[in-house]
């Protein structure tokens, strides 16, 4: 019986080593599984690496204008201009948009609301993934609500500046004239807050993912900026950091909506200045093959 | 000595239970750590939940037009129209853009290259995070290169349809006329592939993150779509799934560029049809406060 003790100790040692190895392997496997899955589909998501989780789904490249149900196809009617006129129109449109600048100094003069309605209707002509039109434009004119929006944004911005930003970023910002005081949120006669609807609801009330919602809504914002410039109004493209949930709740927007952008809109104030920035020349942004 | 055996077994049992418990707790802790970190900063990133990893950095809401170094500020010159003209201009621009449709049937007729250059210059007037202008427009006219792009996209799309897509998605698509055959990639006289530069390089050759690059480039695409419509050309907004890396390498674009969109551009073919879709009325996309 004495000889049993070393045998028992040996068995226990083997047991302990075995348990350790197995548990360790379990951890390792758990860690590696997602990667192994990803590698099995090497090409998937790679070009969407920089895109949202919602983009990272199986998606048809061609689904941009189709709705869920089959719709009738009708002849497309097209306005064609003579070549000379095409060149003239494209040149004039470039000259118009090239005058657009982000303007932070906005006068408190009222703007015609019919123009605001028209520019938002224009933004609503943008294409969208699966024709979901996943945008909501909240137009704020009420001075008290504008002021509360300013308070929310300045509170969060002050925290951004003093706590959340990295040292390099704060150093960079010292060189700029930018700070967390956003006077234009009070003075601009209109604020347009653009929300993206990250999902919608199907007929059976089930959640329906809105593919490419951020890209779609950003395209609509591009068209909105062009429409504002065409009408002679100014704005500045802002994406208030960390303020989305508070502004969403303050404006009573539903949980499927997320703030993408805020545009203060109006006429420039008399003393408005802009940084003397240049745009890249065509040969730095275009490559011909 | 006999009495030692049960004691030894008891010790071993306790030891095994202890080891198991500790390892299990280790796994649990490892799983919970990232969440705990995220919860420590509840407001941060919340409104950017749907945005890219690159967005999830400390960012100034107001950094859209500033460059890294302080630049001189100059007076802003503005063209103001009388109210009546503003309303007229905004209405006409809406009517022009409301005629835009995504067109898949594109004729092989050549388009004036001066118009293509003008619309891309126009897209380049878009605002961008920290004025990085993080876009590259690759214009493909060569028939062989267009055809190779078509082959790459159709190969990937066929795999998307047959393997990568979920059953529900394939069922939905059966109702549509969409499939992986993209004839317009051969017929359209011009393909514009829009790449977003997810990072750039500072003076010291260090990587410099391009904040909000996807939103910026999507805004530029919105302006590009408006410019094409204004010139009387048609296109369809496509985001070729899984093709980004192959197309990037085929077109010799650097690794900091990722394909965001591909626009085949031209005149509509004579038999072009479009789905008979309607757009949401204004009261469904605009809320006034």
């Amino acid at each position: 019986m004495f000889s049993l003790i070393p045998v028992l100790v040996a068995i226990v040692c083997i047991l302990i080593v075995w348990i350790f190895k197995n548990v360790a392997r379990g951890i390792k496997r758990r860690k590696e599984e997602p990667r192994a899955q990803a590698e099995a589909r090497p090409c998937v998501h790679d070009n969407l690496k920089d895109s949202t989780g919602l983009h990272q789904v199986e998606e048809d490249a061609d689904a941009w204008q189709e709705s869920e149900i089959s719709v009738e196809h009708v002849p497309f009617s097209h306005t064609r201009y003579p070549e000379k006129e095409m060149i003239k129109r494209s040149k004039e449109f470039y000259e118009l948009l090239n005058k657009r600048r982000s303007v932070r100094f906005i006068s408190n003069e009222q703007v015609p609301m019919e123009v605001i309605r028209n520019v938002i209707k224009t933004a609503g002509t943008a294409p969208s993934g699966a024709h979901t039109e996943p945008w909501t434009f909240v137009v704020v004119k009420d001075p008290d609500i504008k002021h509360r929006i300013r308070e929310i944004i300045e509170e969060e911005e002050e925290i951004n500046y003093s706590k959340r930003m990295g040292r390099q970023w704060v150093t960079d910002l010292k060189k700029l004239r930018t700070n967390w005081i956003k006077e234009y949120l009070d003075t601009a006669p209109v604020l347009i807050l653009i929300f993206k609807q990250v999902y919608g609801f199907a007929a059976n009330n089930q959640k329906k993912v809105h593919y490419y919602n951020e890209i779609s809504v950003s395209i609509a914002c591009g068209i909105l900026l062009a429409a504002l410039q065409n009408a002679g109004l100014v704005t500045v493209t802002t994406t208030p950091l960390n303020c989305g949930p508070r502004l969403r709740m303050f404006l009573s927007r539903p949980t499927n909506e997320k703030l993408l952008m805020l545009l203060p809109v109006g006429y420039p104030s008399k003393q408005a200045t802009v940084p003397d920035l240049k745009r890249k020349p065509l040969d730095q942004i275009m490559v011909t093959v």
Side-chain angles (χ1 to χ4, degrees), chain A:
Chain A
M1 272 298 195
F2 266 59
S3 60
L4 260 185
I5 293 174
V7 171
L8 208 68
V9 168
I11 290 172
V12 163
C13 284
I14 290 167
L15 200 71
I16 290 172
V17 168
W18 178 84
I19 288 165
F20 253 110
K21 263 202 157 174
N22 267 281
V23 173
R25 202 182 296 155
I27 296 169
K28 220 180 152 195
R29 198 179 302 144
R30 238 161 286 183
K31 274 190 186 163
E32 276 175 0
E33 258 165 17
R35 200 197 301 174
Q37 270 176 8
E39 275 168 2
R41 294 163 60 179
C43 204
V44 179
H45 312 333
D46 211 354
N47 59 332
L48 296 172
K49 228 182 235 165
D50 186 34
S51 301
T52 80
L54 287 172
H55 295 174
Q56 291 176 7
V57 290
E58 287 74 11
E59 166 73 36
D60 172 39
D62 223 15
W64 274 78
Q65 73 166 13
E66 307 289 1
S67 77
E68 246 178 80
I69 50 157
S70 187
V71 289
E72 207 192 335
H73 280 235
V74 293
F76 171 66
S77 83
H78 179 244
T79 306
R80 180 161 173 170
Y81 310 106
E83 196 169 309
K84 221 171 160 180
E85 199 182 335
M86 287 175 78
I87 293 172
K88 185 169 171 277
R89 288 179 68 91
S90 64
K91 185 168 172 281
E92 283 173 359
F93 192 62
Y94 163 68
E95 285 164 356
L96 171 71
L97 286 223
N98 196 34
K99 285 188 205 132
R100 190 202 58 77
R101 293 298 309 265
S102 294
V103 177
R104 286 179 176 69
F105 305 97
I106 299 179
S107 103
N108 59 4
E109 193 185 341
Q110 291 300 307
V111 295
M113 278 310 287
E114 194 172 340
V115 172
I116 300 298
R117 281 191 294 272
N118 282 341
V119 295
I120 291 177
K121 273 161 75 177
T122 311
T125 67
S128 56
H131 195 56
T132 44
E133 303 172 273
W135 36 66
T136 305
F137 300 88
V138 180
V139 174
V140 181
K141 290 188 298 175
D142 184 287
D144 295 336
I145 296 181
K146 281 194 298 166
H147 189 68
R148 183 68 194 121
I149 289 173
R150 177 179 175 175
E151 283 175 347
I152 290 172
I153 291 177
E154 288 186 351
E155 270 171 46
E156 293 293 334
E157 286 282 329
E158 189 177 352
I159 301 172
N160 292 340
Y161 275 74
S162 60
K163 297 203 180 132
R164 295 193 186 113
M165 290 178 179
R167 210 201 300 175
Q168 182 55 48
W169 187 244
V170 171
T171 308
D172 282 355
L173 279 174
K174 275 186 189 151
K175 296 180 236 164
L176 305 173
R177 302 191 195 176
T178 301
N179 62 25
W180 63 83
I181 309 300
K182 315 284 180 199
E183 204 188 347
Y184 52 70
L185 294 173
D186 269 327
T187 61
V190 167
L191 306 181
I192 305 179
L193 291 94
I194 298 118
F195 289 84
K196 58 185 181 188
Q197 299 162 359
V198 296
Y199 59 87
F201 297 95
N204 56 3
N205 224 20
Q206 280 219 310
K207 274 190 191 182
K208 202 180 81 180
V209 172
H210 282 168
Y211 298 115
Y212 298 113
N213 66 80
E214 183 165 294
I215 295 176
S216 305
V217 182
S218 299
I219 289 174
C221 287
I223 294 174
L224 179 59
L225 292 176
L228 287 168
Q229 174 66 10
N230 175 69
L233 293 173
V234 299
T235 188
V236 51
T237 313
T238 74
T239 46
L241 180 67
N242 304 320
C243 306
R246 284 180 73 183
L247 292 176
R248 180 184 68 72
M249 283 186 283
F250 176 60
L251 295 168
S252 310
R253 300 310 307 158
T255 49
N256 67 328
E257 296 189 359
K258 307 245 171 258
L259 183 67
L260 181 71
M261 236 171 260
L262 185 155
L263 301 179
V265 173
Y267 300 106
S269 63
K270 283 209 176 91
Q271 310 300 324
T273 60
V274 289
D276 193 18
L277 297 173
K278 301 284 172 260
R279 293 191 170 117
K280 289 180 185 172
L282 186 61
D283 62 6
Q284 276 181 37
I285 64 168
M286 176 174 145
V287 176
T288 311
V289 177

